[in-house]
Amino acid sequence: MTQSTLHLAILASHPIQYQAPLFRQLAQHYHLTVFFAHTATREDQSNAGFGVPFDWDIDLLAGYDHAFLDNVSRQPGLEHFGGCDTPSIGAKLAAGNFTTLFVMGWHFKSFLQGIWAAKRLGLAVIVRGDSHLQTPRNAAKRVIKRMLYPFALRRFDAALYVGDRSRRYWTHYGYPQERLFFSPHCVDNAWFAERATEEARRRLRLRHNIAPDATVLLFVGKLTLCKRPLDLISAAAALQSTLPMLTVLIAGAGTLAHELSVAAAEQDVQLVQLGFCNQSEMPAAYAAADLLVLPSEGETWGLVANEALACGLPIIVSDACGCAADLAADGSAGRVFPMGNVAALADCISSVLARPPTNAAIARKASDYSLARAAQGIEAALDWISSC
């Protein structure tokens, strides 16, 4: 089956800023339609932990064919399995002359509806997600999954893993190696790089009274306990004697905003809080910084690390972040520290600032986790299916 004859249906929960560029990339090579199970509201974004209701300020729907399914859930939303309930997906797949369904996981009822409908219609099904084995589960759930998943996951004709922990998840459940394909988590590297300019750096620092020669540590994310932004404040305090021109820059909103301000004042740490930053504002935040720190305790991946690399910024991430093994463990673009160990975090910050990765090394790492690499993995999976 050639690219011109393959008709691809993609089933996604809702328009997501990280997925839209990949859909546009695929639309350049395949006949595809993206079906969305839910129209996310401003309140949905706030409930997801961003801290404020908002709409994305970039176009997430341009460049590919798409349609919104009728979500019949009694409690529509993105916080629970039944929040996306779209029984019409079967009719859409039947009417669209599709040959393959590409689904973004199985954690919503809509996704299972799509998978079941595709199988009834004889369509191939490929899946991409970032599930990993470090997710906390009780003993009963682990036993049930160990019994059911080796059979259930094989219903997918091919699976796409986004990184090392994702690959381990699939192999743990015995999924056939020949049906696994690498399609890494990624962002639009070129979009970020074009906007993370020296001028953007100068303007943001000037606007917030950050000295041109100050060392800036950036945290990007929701200000919640599981993201552990307070660890960065404590690490910065420990470095004050050796790095007197140190500033912590926070791009994000949430329940810990006030507590961060209090902690910084008590520990004499220079802190600048930008509040919630929409997508178009993020490249300037990365440009203004010297290092991204992601100290989270429960990060499935941590795509802000990809964004930072795209902007030429080295990264430090906790070993609890899903991206740690892929983006930072080899030391070429950053470092990994034990989650919750503030002393180790401070040591990593000091080490990276003293011997920062080269721009070329950061660019190579970003290129390894790019839209092109993600699309290549999807293409390889589709080619493998068509050859069977």
Side-chain angles (χ1 to χ4, degrees):
M1 187 180 299
T2 65
Q3 291 184 5
S4 60
T5 59
L6 188 147
H7 287 237
L8 182 64
I10 300 177
L11 180 55
S13 58
H14 65 294
I16 297 174
Q17 77 274 25
Y18 298 122
Q19 293 179 357
L22 180 58
F23 297 159
R24 285 192 282 267
Q25 181 91 2
L26 293 172
Q28 298 176 23
H29 305 285
Y30 298 101
H31 298 292
L32 66 82
T33 300
V34 179
F35 293 103
F36 293 113
H38 181 66
T39 303
T41 65
R42 292 167 56 86
E43 289 67 32
D44 284 330
Q45 306 289 16
S46 180
N47 293 337
F50 285 100
V52 294
F54 72 95
D55 293 314
W56 292 109
D57 65 354
I58 57 172
D59 193 342
L60 302 183
L61 298 175
Y64 59 92
D65 291 337
H66 61 274
F68 285 88
L69 299 168
D70 184 18
N71 186 0
V72 301
S73 173
R74 293 184 178 181
Q75 292 181 302
L78 303 167
E79 292 78 42
H80 59 103
F81 173 79
C84 295
D85 184 356
T86 57
S88 63
I89 182 60
K92 296 291 186 182
L93 293 177
N97 194 32
F98 295 107
T99 52
T100 306
L101 173 67
F102 176 16
V103 62
M104 297 296 180
W106 57 89
H107 53 288
F108 288 119
K109 184 176 181 180
S110 175
F111 290 167
L112 295 187
Q113 290 168 327
I115 294 165
W116 292 332
K119 287 298 180 180
R120 287 197 305 271
L121 294 167
L123 277 61
V125 179
I126 63 173
V127 65
R128 183 174 186 258
D130 50 16
S131 296
H132 59 76
L133 299 172
Q134 282 75 18
T135 302
R137 300 179 180 89
N138 60 45
K141 183 172 287 188
R142 286 198 301 269
V143 170
I144 292 171
K145 287 191 172 185
R146 196 69 187 92
M147 294 173 57
L148 296 181
Y149 271 34
F151 169 78
L153 294 181
R154 285 173 178 260
R155 300 312 95 197
F156 296 114
D157 297 277
L160 303 162
Y161 65 93
V162 298
D164 182 70
R165 290 187 181 180
S166 173
R167 178 187 58 79
R168 293 182 188 182
Y169 180 91
W170 287 96
T171 57
H172 173 78
Y173 289 115
Y175 193 80
Q177 293 287 335
E178 69 273 12
R179 290 157 59 180
L180 274 175
F181 300 88
F182 180 48
S183 178
H185 262 322
C186 61
V187 299
D188 189 340
N189 290 337
W191 186 91
F192 280 95
E194 290 167 2
R195 291 161 175 80
T197 62
E198 284 296 324
E199 178 62 16
R201 177 185 178 92
R202 185 192 68 81
R203 287 183 178 178
L204 190 144
R205 287 190 171 218
L206 183 63
R207 187 182 314 126
H208 295 282
N209 298 313
I210 302 172
D213 55 345
T215 299
V216 175
L217 309 178
L218 175 65
F219 172 91
V220 177
K222 306 162 189 174
L223 303 186
T224 58
L225 286 173
C226 70
K227 299 285 186 176
R228 303 186 72 94
L230 288 164
D231 287 1
L232 178 54
I233 300 296
S234 298
L239 294 168
Q240 291 284 52
S241 60
T242 56
L243 293 168
M245 296 286 288
L246 191 63
T247 297
V248 173
L249 180 65
I250 304 287
T255 56
L256 291 183
H258 176 69
E259 191 172 344
L260 282 166
S261 295
V262 171
E266 291 177 346
Q267 299 177 71
D268 197 27
V269 171
Q270 183 68 32
L271 173 67
V272 174
Q273 295 205 56
L274 301 177
F276 170 76
C277 295
N278 215 316
Q279 194 73 353
S280 67
E281 301 171 281
M282 285 310 306
Y286 292 116
D290 299 292
L291 179 63
L292 174 80
V293 179
L294 187 61
S296 303
E297 66 182 44
E299 201 78 52
T300 305
W301 179 264
L303 278 157
V304 297
N306 296 70
E307 294 179 349
L309 294 174
C311 296
L313 198 63
I315 61 175
I316 292 177
V317 302
S318 81
D319 59 3
C321 295
C323 68
D326 295 85
L327 300 184
D330 64 4
S332 64
R335 298 288 189 278
V336 179
F337 74 97
M339 184 272 295
N341 189 329
V342 172
L345 171 56
D347 287 343
C348 277
I349 293 171
S350 180
S351 174
V352 172
L353 291 176
R355 295 177 298 278
T358 65
N359 292 336
I362 294 173
R364 283 195 297 271
K365 182 63 71 173
S367 179
D368 289 340
Y369 291 79
S370 64
L371 288 174
R373 288 295 298 273
Q376 287 169 9
I378 296 167
E379 180 180 351
L382 293 171
D383 288 345
W384 186 87
I385 288 172
S386 66
S387 68
C388 293

